[in-house]
Amino acid sequence: MEEKEKQTRPSYKRAPFGKKEKQVSRMAPVLEYLQKAGMPISEVAEKCGLTRQCINQRINLDDCNLSFMEQIADAAGYEFVWSWKKKRGVKKEEKES
């Protein structure tokens, strides 16, 4: 009998050595604020009524909605302030008369 080739299933584990995982960039300030406030993720999760895994997943996905940001800020004792800042080098469009 011939030996059958092993079929491999895809692995859903962490990236293999040598490959970088997605870097947290947009959520990095949130982690900084939590660190400054001395709040571990588990404590924030408890105050938000969520699991630690849920908070970590949102941070690792590097995306969240505004209500989630407000919820985390409130749990850490901060007020979430959302604002717009004009980009450098972008000129205001002129209206046609």
Side-chain angles (χ1 to χ4, degrees):
M1 284 192 183
E2 291 180 28
E3 235 179 90
K4 292 184 179 179
E5 289 183 32
K6 280 189 175 180
Q7 292 182 349
T8 58
R9 294 184 179 181
S11 172
Y12 298 103
K13 295 180 182 179
R14 294 180 183 244
F17 292 110
K19 291 188 177 182
K20 292 184 179 181
E21 293 182 15
K22 184 178 181 180
Q23 297 293 318
V24 176
S25 59
R26 292 180 292 189
M27 295 295 288
V30 174
L31 293 174
E32 287 175 24
Y33 283 121
L34 293 175
Q35 186 178 18
K36 284 179 186 177
M39 302 251 335
I41 299 287
S42 57
E43 189 176 334
V44 172
E46 185 179 322
K47 288 184 176 186
C48 290
L50 301 169
T51 63
R52 179 183 50 79
Q53 292 87 350
C54 177
I55 302 282
N56 281 328
Q57 182 180 21
R58 294 243 182 146
I59 290 170
N60 289 334
L61 289 173
D62 200 32
D63 198 16
C64 72
N65 53 26
L66 291 176
S67 61
F68 182 71
M69 291 293 287
E70 290 171 344
Q71 195 176 15
I72 289 177
D74 186 47
Y78 283 81
E79 180 182 354
F80 178 72
V81 180
W82 188 66
S83 65
W84 289 26
K85 185 177 179 182
K86 183 132 176 101
K87 291 182 179 181
R88 293 182 184 184
V90 177
K91 295 181 181 178
K92 187 176 177 181
E93 293 182 23
E94 294 182 26
K95 293 183 180 179
E96 291 182 25
S97 302

